Amino acid sequence: MSGAIVFDLDGTLIDSAPDLHAAANRMLADCDKPPLPLEKITSFIGNGIPNLVRLVMEERGIPSAEEERMKASMLAHYTAHPADLTRPYAGVVDVLTALKAAGHPLGVCTNKFRAPSVQILDALDLSRFFDVVIGGDSLPVKKPDPAPLVATFEALNAAPFLYVGDSEVDADTAHRAKIAFGLFSKGYRKTPVEDLPCTFVFDEFTALIGHIRDLPQP
């Protein structure tokens, strides 16, 4: 069996920003607030839906006392339409197929709640690749705490080999877990690539297989 590989979800395997954007604007419409542009909502992605909701509320001047109601509204809208506009990035299916065929146990570690994560993976026919999915509500802590990533590798029951993500949160998580990290540069990060600790950077998923072959095997 080859070493285990774990992937982040949003901004790494899938471009989920359009559906998050739609749900956030439906949430704002519920309280008669104007919508926010896609670029703004995209900049809020990375630390889970509760954090995204807080940032939207700050942006629109909504009192913090409304947070629980806003979160419930956001989750209701998002779980009703989690994959209408969301798509895997180009090359993802081919790469996951090749990695699975090569014997790599694969998992997902995301700050998105587990239920909508699985719902999206099912809708996009990606669940078949993954033996483990750890969400932002699976443990008492979320990334960049290394515990969720460590738990994902432990559940895969194989030697930790690589974590693949797109953001500052992912880079910090891998660094703290002392796991090799592949940075997908076309995701949702805000920081320049050169300022993030990583083992390698890739711009297209088709390049990932070559980078994996170059890594020391566990």
Side-chain angles (χ1 to χ4, degrees):
M1 181 181 289
S2 301
I5 301 174
V6 174
F7 291 84
D8 173 52
L9 186 58
D10 299 80
T12 301
L13 292 171
I14 60 171
D15 181 12
S16 55
D19 279 314
L20 286 164
H21 175 240
N25 281 338
R26 291 186 187 109
M27 173 188 69
L28 287 170
D30 286 346
C31 55
D32 297 320
K33 296 291 184 179
L36 288 168
L38 175 61
E39 294 75 16
K40 179 61 70 174
I41 296 298
T42 301
S43 75
F44 293 162
I45 297 172
N47 286 290
I49 284 179
N51 186 69
L52 184 148
V53 170
R54 282 191 289 272
L55 293 171
V56 169
M57 290 174 64
E58 289 172 11
E59 189 72 18
R60 284 291 178 244
I62 299 169
S64 58
E66 296 293 309
E67 184 174 331
E68 290 306 314
R69 185 175 70 83
M70 298 290 287
K71 283 194 296 186
S73 172
M74 175 71 184
L75 282 168
H77 287 304
Y78 189 53
T79 55
H81 301 278
D84 289 4
L85 305 171
T86 296
R87 297 291 180 269
Y89 284 103
V92 162
V93 172
D94 289 343
V95 167
L96 293 177
T97 300
L99 293 177
K100 199 73 172 174
H104 291 282
L106 304 179
V108 169
C109 181
T110 174
N111 276 343
K112 186 193 293 292
F113 287 171
R114 188 179 186 280
S117 298
V118 171
Q119 193 178 1
I120 291 166
L121 290 169
D122 286 346
L124 299 178
D125 194 29
L126 297 178
S127 292
R128 58 196 168 102
F129 296 112
F130 300 106
D131 302 304
V132 176
V133 178
I134 296 287
D137 55 345
S138 297
L139 276 71
V141 294
K142 302 197 303 282
K143 301 181 297 182
D145 191 297
L149 180 58
V150 171
T152 310
F153 280 113
E154 287 177 347
L156 286 169
N157 197 30
F161 181 44
L162 178 68
Y163 178 48
V164 180
D166 71 298
S167 71
E168 299 83 352
V169 171
D170 295 319
D172 192 19
T173 304
H175 179 72
R176 293 167 70 179
K178 298 180 172 59
I179 299 290
F181 178 59
L183 176 65
F184 178 51
S185 66
K186 298 292 181 64
Y188 301 152
R189 66 183 165 79
K190 296 92 177 167
T191 304
V193 166
E194 56 270 20
D195 293 340
L196 294 178
C198 61
T199 309
F200 62 84
V201 181
F202 64 105
D203 299 331
E204 304 294 339
F205 255 83
T206 49
L208 182 56
I209 298 293
H211 286 293
I212 288 172
R213 289 186 183 129
D214 290 341
L215 291 177
Q217 298 299 309

